[in-house]
Short mmCIF file of all heavy atoms in Angstrom, two decimals:
data_model
loop_
_atom_site.label_atom_id
_atom_site.label_comp_id
_atom_site.label_asym_id
_atom_site.label_seq_id
_atom_site.Cartn_x
_atom_site.Cartn_y
_atom_site.Cartn_z
N MET W 4 56.53 -10.40 -0.84
CA MET W 4 55.71 -10.16 0.40
C MET W 4 54.32 -9.74 0.02
O MET W 4 53.39 -9.92 0.88
CB MET W 4 56.40 -9.18 1.27
CG MET W 4 55.64 -8.81 2.57
SD MET W 4 56.71 -8.52 3.86
CE MET W 4 55.73 -7.28 4.76
N GLY W 5 54.02 -9.22 -1.13
CA GLY W 5 52.70 -8.78 -1.38
C GLY W 5 51.66 -9.75 -1.37
O GLY W 5 50.64 -9.53 -0.68
N PRO W 6 51.84 -11.02 -1.94
CA PRO W 6 50.86 -11.94 -1.79
C PRO W 6 50.59 -12.45 -0.32
O PRO W 6 49.50 -12.83 0.14
CB PRO W 6 51.38 -13.18 -2.64
CG PRO W 6 52.29 -12.51 -3.61
CD PRO W 6 52.95 -11.47 -2.83
N LEU W 7 51.71 -12.46 0.46
CA LEU W 7 51.56 -12.88 1.90
C LEU W 7 50.65 -11.84 2.72
O LEU W 7 49.91 -12.23 3.49
CB LEU W 7 52.86 -13.05 2.55
CG LEU W 7 53.76 -14.23 2.15
CD1 LEU W 7 55.08 -14.27 2.67
CD2 LEU W 7 53.06 -15.59 2.28
N LEU W 8 50.95 -10.62 2.37
CA LEU W 8 50.25 -9.58 3.07
C LEU W 8 48.70 -9.66 2.66
O LEU W 8 47.83 -9.55 3.49
CB LEU W 8 50.78 -8.20 2.77
CG LEU W 8 50.16 -6.95 3.36
CD1 LEU W 8 50.05 -7.17 4.92
CD2 LEU W 8 50.78 -5.76 2.86
N ALA W 9 48.49 -9.81 1.38
CA ALA W 9 47.08 -9.92 0.91
C ALA W 9 46.43 -11.06 1.53
O ALA W 9 45.17 -11.10 1.92
CB ALA W 9 47.08 -10.08 -0.71
N ARG W 10 47.03 -12.24 1.66
CA ARG W 10 46.52 -13.33 2.29
C ARG W 10 46.12 -13.11 3.78
O ARG W 10 45.16 -13.43 4.27
CB ARG W 10 47.37 -14.69 2.22
CG ARG W 10 46.97 -15.90 2.74
CD ARG W 10 45.85 -16.47 1.76
NE ARG W 10 44.58 -16.40 2.50
CZ ARG W 10 43.46 -16.53 1.76
NH1 ARG W 10 43.39 -16.79 0.52
NH2 ARG W 10 42.21 -16.36 2.42
N ALA W 11 47.05 -12.48 4.39
CA ALA W 11 46.96 -12.11 5.86
C ALA W 11 45.71 -11.21 5.92
O ALA W 11 44.86 -11.34 6.83
CB ALA W 11 48.26 -11.44 6.34
N VAL W 12 45.53 -10.20 5.12
CA VAL W 12 44.41 -9.33 5.19
C VAL W 12 43.05 -10.13 4.95
O VAL W 12 42.07 -9.87 5.69
CB VAL W 12 44.62 -8.06 4.16
CG1 VAL W 12 43.22 -7.32 3.98
CG2 VAL W 12 45.72 -7.26 4.57
N LEU W 13 43.09 -10.89 3.94
CA LEU W 13 41.88 -11.74 3.64
C LEU W 13 41.53 -12.65 4.85
O LEU W 13 40.35 -12.75 5.19
CB LEU W 13 42.13 -12.48 2.37
CG LEU W 13 42.07 -11.67 1.13
CD1 LEU W 13 42.40 -12.61 -0.10
CD2 LEU W 13 40.77 -11.02 0.89
N ASP W 14 42.51 -13.18 5.44
CA ASP W 14 42.30 -14.06 6.67
C ASP W 14 41.71 -13.40 7.81
O ASP W 14 40.88 -13.77 8.56
CB ASP W 14 43.56 -14.82 7.06
CG ASP W 14 44.06 -15.88 6.10
OD1 ASP W 14 43.22 -16.23 5.19
OD2 ASP W 14 45.23 -16.32 6.18
N LEU W 15 42.21 -12.05 8.02
CA LEU W 15 41.82 -11.31 9.09
C LEU W 15 40.43 -10.78 8.76
O LEU W 15 39.55 -10.87 9.71
CB LEU W 15 42.68 -9.97 9.24
CG LEU W 15 42.25 -9.03 10.17
CD1 LEU W 15 42.24 -9.71 11.65
CD2 LEU W 15 43.18 -7.87 10.32
N ALA W 16 40.05 -10.44 7.57
CA ALA W 16 38.74 -10.19 7.12
C ALA W 16 37.81 -11.40 7.50
O ALA W 16 36.61 -11.14 8.00
CB ALA W 16 38.57 -9.56 5.77
N ALA W 17 38.15 -12.56 7.15
CA ALA W 17 37.27 -13.68 7.38
C ALA W 17 37.06 -13.93 8.85
O ALA W 17 35.96 -14.22 9.19
CB ALA W 17 37.94 -14.96 6.66
N ALA W 18 38.22 -13.81 9.55
CA ALA W 18 38.02 -13.99 11.10
C ALA W 18 37.20 -12.87 11.64
O ALA W 18 36.37 -13.19 12.57
CB ALA W 18 39.29 -14.00 11.68
N ASP W 19 37.26 -11.69 11.17
CA ASP W 19 36.40 -10.67 11.68
C ASP W 19 34.96 -10.89 11.41
O ASP W 19 34.04 -10.68 12.18
CB ASP W 19 36.87 -9.17 11.10
CG ASP W 19 36.01 -8.20 11.64
OD1 ASP W 19 36.07 -8.05 12.91
OD2 ASP W 19 35.54 -7.31 10.90
N ALA W 20 34.66 -11.36 10.09
CA ALA W 20 33.28 -11.62 9.83
C ALA W 20 32.63 -12.91 10.54
O ALA W 20 31.45 -12.73 10.91
CB ALA W 20 33.33 -11.92 8.22
N ALA W 21 33.64 -13.84 11.04
CA ALA W 21 33.12 -14.91 11.66
C ALA W 21 32.89 -14.49 13.22
O ALA W 21 32.31 -15.30 13.90
CB ALA W 21 34.02 -16.07 11.56
N ALA W 22 33.47 -13.44 13.64
CA ALA W 22 33.53 -13.09 15.09
C ALA W 22 32.10 -12.67 15.53
O ALA W 22 31.84 -12.69 16.83
CB ALA W 22 34.63 -12.03 15.34
N GLY W 23 31.33 -12.23 14.68
CA GLY W 23 29.93 -11.80 15.16
C GLY W 23 29.84 -10.35 15.19
O GLY W 23 29.58 -9.77 14.16
N PRO W 24 29.85 -9.69 16.36
CA PRO W 24 29.70 -8.25 16.39
C PRO W 24 30.72 -7.45 15.54
O PRO W 24 31.75 -7.98 15.41
CB PRO W 24 29.84 -7.95 17.93
CG PRO W 24 29.75 -9.15 18.59
CD PRO W 24 30.20 -10.20 17.65
N PRO W 25 30.27 -6.31 14.94
CA PRO W 25 31.24 -5.64 14.10
C PRO W 25 32.45 -5.17 14.93
O PRO W 25 32.39 -4.97 16.12
CB PRO W 25 30.35 -4.46 13.64
CG PRO W 25 29.06 -4.83 13.88
CD PRO W 25 29.01 -5.82 14.97
N LEU W 26 33.67 -5.04 14.25
CA LEU W 26 34.81 -4.66 14.90
C LEU W 26 34.72 -3.28 15.65
O LEU W 26 35.26 -3.25 16.74
CB LEU W 26 35.92 -4.50 13.84
CG LEU W 26 37.28 -4.15 14.32
CD1 LEU W 26 37.87 -5.21 15.19
CD2 LEU W 26 38.28 -3.89 13.26
N ALA W 27 33.95 -2.38 15.09
CA ALA W 27 33.84 -1.03 15.85
C ALA W 27 33.07 -1.24 17.15
O ALA W 27 33.48 -0.63 18.21
CB ALA W 27 33.01 -0.06 15.01
N ASP W 28 32.15 -2.19 17.25
CA ASP W 28 31.48 -2.53 18.58
C ASP W 28 32.43 -3.13 19.54
O ASP W 28 32.45 -2.99 20.71
CB ASP W 28 30.18 -3.45 18.34
CG ASP W 28 29.13 -2.71 17.69
OD1 ASP W 28 29.18 -1.48 17.51
OD2 ASP W 28 28.16 -3.42 17.18
N ARG W 29 33.32 -4.03 19.02
CA ARG W 29 34.18 -4.74 19.89
C ARG W 29 35.30 -3.81 20.46
O ARG W 29 35.87 -4.06 21.37
CB ARG W 29 34.77 -5.93 19.18
CG ARG W 29 33.80 -7.00 18.83
CD ARG W 29 34.39 -8.35 18.47
NE ARG W 29 35.44 -8.26 17.57
CZ ARG W 29 35.52 -8.26 16.19
NH1 ARG W 29 34.37 -8.51 15.60
NH2 ARG W 29 36.61 -8.27 15.41
N LEU W 30 35.55 -2.76 19.77
CA LEU W 30 36.71 -1.93 20.12
C LEU W 30 36.26 -0.56 20.68
O LEU W 30 37.06 0.21 21.04
CB LEU W 30 37.57 -1.53 18.86
CG LEU W 30 38.17 -2.87 18.12
CD1 LEU W 30 38.95 -2.33 16.91
CD2 LEU W 30 39.08 -3.53 19.12
N ARG W 31 35.03 -0.39 20.92
CA ARG W 31 34.43 0.97 21.35
C ARG W 31 35.11 1.42 22.69
O ARG W 31 35.41 2.62 22.72
CB ARG W 31 32.95 0.79 21.52
CG ARG W 31 32.28 2.21 21.94
CD ARG W 31 30.72 2.05 21.92
NE ARG W 31 30.39 1.75 20.54
CZ ARG W 31 29.46 0.82 20.19
NH1 ARG W 31 28.72 0.23 21.08
NH2 ARG W 31 29.06 0.66 18.87
N ALA W 32 35.27 0.59 23.61
CA ALA W 32 35.82 0.98 24.99
C ALA W 32 37.24 1.16 25.04
O ALA W 32 37.90 1.66 25.89
CB ALA W 32 35.45 0.01 25.95
N TRP W 33 37.91 0.87 23.92
CA TRP W 33 39.44 0.84 23.81
C TRP W 33 40.10 2.21 23.77
O TRP W 33 41.25 2.44 24.02
CB TRP W 33 39.99 0.01 22.74
CG TRP W 33 39.67 -1.42 23.16
CD1 TRP W 33 38.83 -1.94 24.01
CD2 TRP W 33 40.33 -2.61 22.72
NE1 TRP W 33 38.68 -3.26 24.06
CE2 TRP W 33 39.71 -3.79 23.29
CE3 TRP W 33 41.21 -2.83 21.62
CZ2 TRP W 33 40.12 -5.12 22.83
CZ3 TRP W 33 41.62 -4.02 21.40
CH2 TRP W 33 41.18 -5.20 22.03
N SER W 34 39.31 3.30 23.46
CA SER W 34 39.86 4.64 23.36
C SER W 34 40.23 4.98 24.73
O SER W 34 41.40 5.71 24.84
CB SER W 34 38.87 5.60 22.68
OG SER W 34 37.65 5.73 23.54
N GLY W 35 39.54 4.66 25.76
CA GLY W 35 39.95 4.90 27.07
C GLY W 35 41.23 4.29 27.43
O GLY W 35 42.06 4.94 28.31
N ILE W 36 41.45 3.07 27.07
CA ILE W 36 42.82 2.41 27.24
C ILE W 36 43.90 3.09 26.56
O ILE W 36 44.94 3.38 27.24
CB ILE W 36 42.76 0.98 26.86
CG1 ILE W 36 41.64 0.27 27.61
CG2 ILE W 36 44.12 0.30 26.92
CD1 ILE W 36 41.46 -1.22 27.03
N ALA W 37 43.71 3.50 25.34
CA ALA W 37 44.69 4.30 24.60
C ALA W 37 45.02 5.59 25.46
O ALA W 37 46.23 5.98 25.42
CB ALA W 37 44.16 4.60 23.21
N ALA W 38 44.17 6.34 25.91
CA ALA W 38 44.36 7.51 26.52
C ALA W 38 45.09 7.35 27.83
O ALA W 38 45.99 8.08 28.14
CB ALA W 38 42.99 8.31 26.83
N ALA W 39 44.94 6.20 28.49
CA ALA W 39 45.59 5.93 29.70
C ALA W 39 47.02 5.40 29.54
O ALA W 39 47.98 5.74 30.29
CB ALA W 39 44.71 4.96 30.53
N ASP W 40 47.11 4.50 28.55
CA ASP W 40 48.48 3.86 28.31
C ASP W 40 48.42 3.37 26.89
O ASP W 40 47.90 2.29 26.53
CB ASP W 40 48.72 2.75 29.22
CG ASP W 40 50.11 2.30 29.24
OD1 ASP W 40 50.77 2.36 28.30
OD2 ASP W 40 50.59 1.69 30.21
N ALA W 41 49.09 4.14 25.93
CA ALA W 41 49.10 3.80 24.49
C ALA W 41 49.88 2.47 24.32
O ALA W 41 49.32 1.61 23.37
CB ALA W 41 49.79 4.87 23.77
N GLU W 42 50.87 2.15 25.01
CA GLU W 42 51.57 0.90 24.79
C GLU W 42 50.75 -0.36 25.14
O GLU W 42 50.63 -1.29 24.36
CB GLU W 42 52.86 0.86 25.49
CG GLU W 42 53.69 -0.42 25.27
CD GLU W 42 55.00 -0.35 26.05
OE1 GLU W 42 55.58 0.60 26.38
OE2 GLU W 42 55.62 -1.49 26.21
N VAL W 43 50.03 -0.24 26.15
CA VAL W 43 49.16 -1.45 26.51
C VAL W 43 47.99 -1.44 25.62
O VAL W 43 47.66 -2.62 25.17
CB VAL W 43 48.53 -1.15 28.00
CG1 VAL W 43 47.46 -2.07 28.30
CG2 VAL W 43 49.61 -1.31 29.05
N HIS W 44 47.48 -0.33 25.04
CA HIS W 44 46.51 -0.35 24.14
C HIS W 44 46.93 -1.15 22.88
O HIS W 44 46.17 -1.90 22.29
CB HIS W 44 46.02 1.06 23.89
CG HIS W 44 45.10 1.11 22.67
ND1 HIS W 44 45.51 1.41 21.30
CD2 HIS W 44 43.76 1.09 22.57
CE1 HIS W 44 44.45 1.40 20.60
NE2 HIS W 44 43.35 1.23 21.33
N ASP W 45 48.08 -0.73 22.34
CA ASP W 45 48.64 -1.43 21.16
C ASP W 45 48.78 -2.87 21.43
O ASP W 45 48.56 -3.63 20.58
CB ASP W 45 49.84 -0.85 20.79
CG ASP W 45 49.84 0.66 20.29
OD1 ASP W 45 48.62 1.06 19.99
OD2 ASP W 45 50.75 1.33 20.17
N ARG W 46 49.39 -3.30 22.53
CA ARG W 46 49.61 -4.70 22.75
C ARG W 46 48.20 -5.50 22.89
O ARG W 46 48.12 -6.59 22.36
CB ARG W 46 50.41 -4.93 23.98
CG ARG W 46 51.78 -4.48 23.88
CD ARG W 46 52.62 -4.53 25.01
NE ARG W 46 52.94 -5.97 25.35
CZ ARG W 46 53.48 -6.33 26.44
NH1 ARG W 46 53.77 -5.58 27.38
NH2 ARG W 46 53.70 -7.68 26.49
N VAL W 47 47.23 -4.92 23.51
CA VAL W 47 45.85 -5.53 23.67
C VAL W 47 45.18 -5.71 22.41
O VAL W 47 44.65 -6.69 21.94
CB VAL W 47 45.11 -4.72 24.72
CG1 VAL W 47 43.53 -5.31 24.75
CG2 VAL W 47 45.65 -4.97 26.15
N LEU W 48 45.27 -4.51 21.56
CA LEU W 48 44.71 -4.60 20.25
C LEU W 48 45.30 -5.67 19.38
O LEU W 48 44.58 -6.38 18.64
CB LEU W 48 44.73 -3.24 19.63
CG LEU W 48 44.26 -3.01 18.23
CD1 LEU W 48 42.71 -3.40 18.10
CD2 LEU W 48 44.50 -1.62 17.68
N ALA W 49 46.59 -5.73 19.30
CA ALA W 49 47.28 -6.76 18.53
C ALA W 49 46.82 -8.18 18.92
O ALA W 49 46.67 -9.04 18.17
CB ALA W 49 48.90 -6.59 18.65
N ALA W 50 46.79 -8.52 20.31
CA ALA W 50 46.41 -9.75 20.77
C ALA W 50 44.98 -10.04 20.52
O ALA W 50 44.69 -11.17 19.99
CB ALA W 50 46.58 -9.82 22.38
N HIS W 51 44.18 -9.09 20.45
CA HIS W 51 42.63 -9.16 20.16
C HIS W 51 42.54 -9.61 18.65
O HIS W 51 41.71 -10.53 18.35
CB HIS W 51 41.95 -7.93 20.54
CG HIS W 51 40.56 -7.97 20.06
ND1 HIS W 51 39.57 -8.66 20.63
CD2 HIS W 51 39.90 -7.37 19.06
CE1 HIS W 51 38.41 -8.63 20.00
NE2 HIS W 51 38.61 -7.80 18.96
N LEU W 52 43.22 -8.99 17.85
CA LEU W 52 43.01 -9.09 16.42
C LEU W 52 43.71 -10.36 15.95
O LEU W 52 43.40 -10.99 14.92
CB LEU W 52 43.75 -7.89 15.59
CG LEU W 52 42.91 -6.69 15.68
CD1 LEU W 52 43.69 -5.54 15.05
CD2 LEU W 52 41.53 -6.73 15.17
N ALA W 53 44.67 -10.85 16.73
CA ALA W 53 45.35 -12.17 16.36
C ALA W 53 44.70 -13.43 16.80
O ALA W 53 45.00 -14.49 16.29
CB ALA W 53 46.79 -12.08 16.93
N ALA W 54 43.86 -13.15 17.93
CA ALA W 54 43.09 -14.37 18.47
C ALA W 54 42.09 -14.88 17.51
O ALA W 54 41.39 -14.10 16.88
CB ALA W 54 42.47 -13.95 19.77
N PRO W 55 41.90 -16.16 17.53
CA PRO W 55 41.01 -16.82 16.51
C PRO W 55 39.53 -16.61 17.22
O PRO W 55 39.35 -16.37 18.43
CB PRO W 55 41.16 -18.28 16.63
CG PRO W 55 42.00 -18.50 17.94
CD PRO W 55 42.71 -17.24 18.12
N PRO W 56 38.53 -16.33 16.39
CA PRO W 56 37.23 -15.99 17.00
C PRO W 56 36.64 -17.37 17.72
O PRO W 56 37.01 -18.44 17.51
CB PRO W 56 36.27 -15.78 15.75
CG PRO W 56 37.07 -16.46 14.52
CD PRO W 56 38.50 -16.48 14.89
N ARG W 57 35.85 -17.01 18.76
CA ARG W 57 35.17 -18.08 19.68
C ARG W 57 34.16 -18.61 18.82
O ARG W 57 33.52 -18.10 17.97
CB ARG W 57 34.66 -17.44 20.82
CG ARG W 57 35.69 -16.96 21.86
CD ARG W 57 35.11 -16.38 23.03
NE ARG W 57 34.82 -15.02 22.72
CZ ARG W 57 34.12 -14.13 23.35
NH1 ARG W 57 33.50 -14.52 24.36
NH2 ARG W 57 34.06 -12.92 22.95
N PRO W 58 33.92 -19.99 18.95
CA PRO W 58 32.88 -20.65 18.21
C PRO W 58 31.58 -20.11 18.58
O PRO W 58 31.31 -19.68 19.80
CB PRO W 58 32.92 -22.14 18.67
CG PRO W 58 34.05 -22.22 19.62
CD PRO W 58 34.63 -20.86 19.95
N ALA W 59 30.56 -19.94 17.70
CA ALA W 59 29.29 -19.58 18.00
C ALA W 59 28.65 -20.37 18.97
O ALA W 59 28.74 -21.64 19.04
CB ALA W 59 28.52 -19.32 16.77
N ALA W 60 27.75 -19.80 19.76
CA ALA W 60 26.80 -20.66 20.69
C ALA W 60 25.90 -21.42 19.83
O ALA W 60 25.36 -20.98 18.80
CB ALA W 60 26.11 -19.80 21.75
N PRO W 61 25.45 -22.56 20.36
CA PRO W 61 24.52 -23.43 19.57
C PRO W 61 23.19 -22.61 19.42
O PRO W 61 22.73 -22.00 20.33
CB PRO W 61 24.33 -24.61 20.40
CG PRO W 61 25.46 -24.71 21.37
CD PRO W 61 26.02 -23.26 21.56
N GLY W 62 22.65 -22.71 18.14
CA GLY W 62 21.41 -22.07 17.89
C GLY W 62 21.52 -20.56 17.52
O GLY W 62 20.54 -19.91 17.28
N THR W 63 22.71 -20.07 17.47
CA THR W 63 22.88 -18.62 17.09
C THR W 63 23.23 -18.64 15.54
O THR W 63 23.92 -19.57 15.01
CB THR W 63 23.96 -17.91 17.77
OG1 THR W 63 25.24 -18.52 17.64
CG2 THR W 63 23.57 -17.93 19.34
N LYS W 64 22.96 -17.50 14.94
CA LYS W 64 23.37 -17.31 13.50
C LYS W 64 24.51 -16.41 13.42
O LYS W 64 24.63 -15.42 14.13
CB LYS W 64 22.15 -16.76 12.65
CG LYS W 64 21.02 -17.77 12.58
CD LYS W 64 19.85 -17.18 11.71
CE LYS W 64 18.90 -18.09 11.49
NZ LYS W 64 17.83 -17.49 10.68
N LYS W 65 25.30 -16.58 12.35
CA LYS W 65 26.41 -15.51 12.16
C LYS W 65 25.83 -14.38 11.44
O LYS W 65 24.69 -14.30 10.87
CB LYS W 65 27.47 -16.28 11.15
CG LYS W 65 28.32 -17.20 11.80
CD LYS W 65 29.34 -17.75 10.79
CE LYS W 65 30.07 -18.90 11.39
NZ LYS W 65 31.06 -19.41 10.42
N ARG W 66 26.52 -13.21 11.47
CA ARG W 66 26.00 -12.05 10.76
C ARG W 66 25.79 -12.37 9.30
O ARG W 66 26.60 -13.10 8.58
CB ARG W 66 27.14 -11.05 10.78
CG ARG W 66 26.90 -9.96 11.75
CD ARG W 66 27.86 -8.81 11.67
NE ARG W 66 29.28 -9.19 11.44
CZ ARG W 66 30.32 -8.46 11.15
NH1 ARG W 66 30.11 -7.21 11.30
NH2 ARG W 66 31.41 -8.95 11.02
N GLY W 67 24.72 -11.81 8.66
CA GLY W 67 24.43 -11.99 7.39
C GLY W 67 23.62 -13.18 6.91
O GLY W 67 23.34 -13.41 5.86
N GLN W 68 23.32 -14.09 8.01
CA GLN W 68 22.50 -15.30 7.66
C GLN W 68 21.05 -14.97 8.09
O GLN W 68 20.80 -14.26 8.88
CB GLN W 68 23.07 -16.40 8.48
CG GLN W 68 24.37 -16.90 7.92
CD GLN W 68 24.81 -18.15 8.77
OE1 GLN W 68 24.19 -18.62 9.72
NE2 GLN W 68 25.86 -18.86 8.13
#
């Protein structure tokens, strides 16, 4: 399972880098959700992290370019 977990972490890091804004910026408002309903917060967070990044708008640059 070690290599599969490592691959998943690398894939997640690549998707996060391609997503544009830093993860902290995308998750900033979620502490309020966690305070209101921890189970909903966990489910929304899991869905957010599992979703593929949206394609960049034409003419925009990815972070680091």
Side-chain angles (χ1 to χ4, degrees):
M4 180 147 145
L7 292 176
L8 179 58
R10 180 77 253 162
V12 169
L13 291 173
D14 289 345
L15 180 58
D19 183 54
L26 182 62
D28 290 350
R29 297 193 316 264
L30 300 180
R31 185 171 295 139
W33 291 19
S34 60
I36 297 171
D40 190 333
E42 184 178 338
V43 168
H44 173 267
D45 292 345
R46 294 177 70 191
V47 171
L48 180 60
H51 172 76
L52 293 174
R57 288 177 276 168
T63 59
K64 292 183 178 181
K65 291 183 185 177
R66 262 189 317 180
Q68 288 186 347

